[in-house]
Amino acid sequence: MANQIDMLHGSLMKKLLLFALPLAATGTVQQLFNAADGIILGHFAGSNALAAVGSTAPIINLSINLFIGLSIGASVVIAHYIGQGRSDRISDAVHTAVILSLIAGVTIAVVGICISRPMLHAMGSPDNVIGLSTVYLRIFFAGMPFMMIYIYFSAILRSKGDTKRPLLILLGSGIVKVAVSLLFVVVLGMSVKGVALATIIANFLNSGALVYLLMHEDGPFRLRLKKLKITKEHFIRILKIGVPAGVQSMVFSFSNVIIQSTINGFGSDAIAGSAAAVNYEFFCYFVLNAFGQAAVTFTSQNYGAQNAGRCREVFRDCMLLGAAAMFLCNLGFFLGRSFFVLVFTTDVLVIPWAMIRFSHVLIFQWIASSYEISGQCLRGMGHSLLPAIISVLGTCVLRIVWIFTIFQFFATFEMLMNIYPITWAVTGIATLISYAIISKKEFKKISG
């Protein structure tokens, strides 16, 4: 097939890089364009506008992560069929995933618009921020169908190793997004409304381009409107893998909502500072996520092909590459933190809060590779529930417990930020142990 990586044969390290680097670039470019919104707002609309958009991320993630989990399930199922050489099943799974993307987009749009202001109230959003945040969220959610199409269609292409074309599409739409944001905010003075509308326009272009690609794709990946239906067998398999991953992300986002609510208690300067610093955490995470997606996709295909030895190599190489790349990104941003904060804001009241987050969170973020890579390898073998449970308990529940216990006695911003590296380490140790036990059993089974 065209635009496909042979994950079953040949040099593994080279192919992992061919898969992961465009995906890392996609996430980085996407975050650059999202960061551009913050830069534009911070310099041309003020720190309140920056805080308003920055404080909405936990709500957005809480609303969409279940359905993003389903897209991961679709990618794993399709990759299994590629490894098995089952072209007929690939086509049915692709069309099932397309229907799911439409359902996901409409559902999130309706629910998101309805819950925006109540969620902001529940999070204790300050009076000088909540109005702007509500406007941004409602416009953003209105464009969710386009975003879901892009996410699901990218997952379909990713299952066969095509990570380059989604990157090129994102580059084009992102340039349009920045240009439109500048027009709406700087020229027309539309503030947060302007960047939200620009996001919808970019997502419309993304989704339209991917629909066109799949409708002209070769073989079982071609989108045919007359074949659009949900096939029960594939739907159940997608749910089995995708729901635990999605619920894990939802609970993770819920814990971030609690953390964001606590940050809100420190005032709008802390919100803006945290929002500025967290952009660089996203940059680093997308690099790690690229190798996580490589781990789940390469494991899925080789597990489907019953190649235990190559599955082991996938885990080893992805862990090495992911952890090293993450550490270098963390170190680079940390060493240059004085410069990078100024990219978003020059407000002397905001900068100290950002610096605290750099020193207590970002520099330790590489620890997350321990559970990201091992958890994705487990999902590639069809075990999605256990890594989800471990992450919920280790990363989410522990954070909430920390806020309502330790933090109550030492209510400083530094103590709040400390929960990130602690929970990354706990979750990583537990997930690595689980991978060692389960993979031993699974590899013995498929090796005969």
Side-chain angles (χ1 to χ4, degrees):
M1 300 177 192
N3 300 296
Q4 181 170 341
I5 294 176
D6 181 1
M7 303 183 190
L8 307 177
H9 312 92
S11 172
L12 182 59
M13 186 74 77
K14 177 181 178 181
K15 292 181 178 182
L16 286 171
L17 290 172
L18 285 174
F19 180 98
L21 291 180
L23 195 57
T26 299
T28 302
V29 167
Q30 189 171 30
Q31 186 56 30
L32 276 172
F33 292 133
N34 290 338
D37 289 344
I39 294 169
I40 293 168
L41 290 173
H43 287 279
F44 296 101
S47 59
N48 284 346
L50 173 62
V53 172
S55 65
T56 62
I59 297 175
I60 292 171
N61 291 334
L62 180 64
S63 304
I64 70 176
N65 276 341
L66 173 62
F67 296 99
I68 291 179
L70 293 180
S71 75
I72 295 172
S75 181
V76 169
V77 169
I78 296 169
H80 277 170
Y81 292 144
I82 294 173
Q84 295 167 1
R86 297 295 303 272
S87 297
D88 55 332
R89 296 195 170 211
I90 292 172
S91 180
D92 289 340
V94 165
H95 287 87
T96 298
V98 170
I99 293 292
L100 284 176
S101 73
L102 299 175
I103 295 172
V106 173
T107 301
I108 298 172
V110 173
V111 173
I113 291 171
C114 293
I115 70 169
S116 294
R117 193 168 185 92
M119 282 294 294
L120 289 166
H121 271 298
M123 290 171 61
S125 186
D127 292 339
N128 59 336
V129 169
I130 191 169
L132 292 171
S133 296
T134 302
V135 170
Y136 177 82
L137 278 175
R138 286 176 175 169
I139 296 174
F140 182 91
F141 279 124
M144 195 54 63
F146 305 127
M147 177 179 284
M148 286 295 108
I149 289 173
Y150 177 78
I151 289 172
Y152 276 73
F153 283 35
S154 295
I156 291 169
L157 293 175
R158 191 166 62 243
S159 68
K160 64 168 183 166
D162 185 0
T163 56
K164 293 179 182 178
R165 289 188 293 175
L167 168 61
L168 296 175
I169 290 168
L170 187 68
L171 278 170
S173 66
I175 292 170
V176 172
K177 176 184 176 181
V178 173
V180 174
S181 292
L182 286 169
L183 172 65
F184 287 170
V185 177
V186 181
V187 179
L188 301 180
M190 296 175 67
S191 188
V192 299
K193 185 185 295 185
V195 297
L197 289 172
T199 300
I200 290 181
I201 293 171
N203 287 331
F204 173 77
L205 295 174
N206 285 337
S207 61
L210 282 180
V211 168
Y212 177 84
L213 282 184
L214 280 184
M215 292 187 72
H216 294 80
E217 196 70 358
D218 295 327
F221 283 87
R222 174 169 288 186
L223 172 61
R224 295 177 172 87
L225 297 182
K226 64 181 180 181
K227 291 192 65 175
L228 283 176
K229 66 175 182 178
I230 290 181
T231 305
K232 183 178 179 180
E233 176 188 358
H234 307 313
F235 180 65
I236 292 173
R237 290 195 65 190
I238 290 171
L239 290 181
K240 182 181 178 182
I241 296 170
V243 168
V247 170
Q248 171 191 327
S249 296
M250 283 185 66
V251 177
F252 179 84
S253 297
F254 177 74
S255 70
N256 283 340
V257 168
I258 302 296
I259 293 174
Q260 184 63 51
S261 300
T262 310
I263 293 173
N264 291 349
F266 288 96
S268 59
D269 291 331
I271 299 172
S274 178
V278 81
N279 279 283
Y280 298 104
E281 294 169 33
F282 284 137
F283 281 126
C284 296
Y285 172 76
F286 283 126
V287 173
L288 173 60
N289 182 62
F291 290 101
Q293 293 302 316
V296 70
T297 307
F298 276 71
T299 300
S300 297
Q301 285 203 21
N302 284 281
Y303 183 79
Q306 299 190 332
N307 190 336
R310 200 165 174 87
C311 286
R312 293 189 185 96
E313 292 176 17
V314 170
F315 170 79
R316 180 197 64 202
D317 291 352
C318 284
M319 184 65 75
L320 175 64
L321 291 170
M326 186 75 152
F327 176 75
L328 291 174
C329 287
N330 291 160
L331 183 62
F333 285 129
F334 177 77
L335 293 177
R337 60 193 181 280
S338 297
F339 166 77
F340 289 119
V341 171
L342 294 176
V343 172
F344 285 90
T345 181
T346 55
D347 191 330
V348 295
L349 297 177
V350 171
I351 291 173
W353 300 98
M355 289 298 188
I356 292 172
R357 182 148 191 155
F358 269 94
S359 300
H360 288 257
V361 181
L362 182 133
I363 190 58
F364 299 106
Q365 195 183 11
W366 59 272
I367 299 172
S369 60
S370 57
Y371 67 85
E372 285 284 346
I373 302 298
S374 54
Q376 294 290 36
C377 286
L378 285 171
R379 289 191 180 92
M381 294 184 285
H383 292 270
S384 188
L385 183 59
L386 182 58
I389 292 173
I390 292 172
S391 292
V392 166
L393 293 176
T395 305
C396 307
V397 174
L398 184 54
R399 288 180 183 179
I400 296 173
V401 171
W402 179 275
I403 288 173
F404 289 103
T405 55
I406 304 298
F407 178 73
Q408 298 303 311
F409 294 98
F410 306 96
T412 65
F413 193 70
E414 291 86 346
M415 188 59 69
L416 179 62
M417 295 295 102
N418 286 341
I419 190 54
Y420 286 100
I422 291 172
T423 53
W424 288 332
V426 171
T427 306
I429 292 170
T431 309
L432 285 169
I433 292 172
S434 299
Y435 174 81
I437 296 171
I438 292 175
S439 63
K440 183 177 181 180
K441 294 179 180 178
E442 288 292 337
F443 296 157
K444 182 178 180 180
K445 181 173 67 176
I446 65 176
S447 296

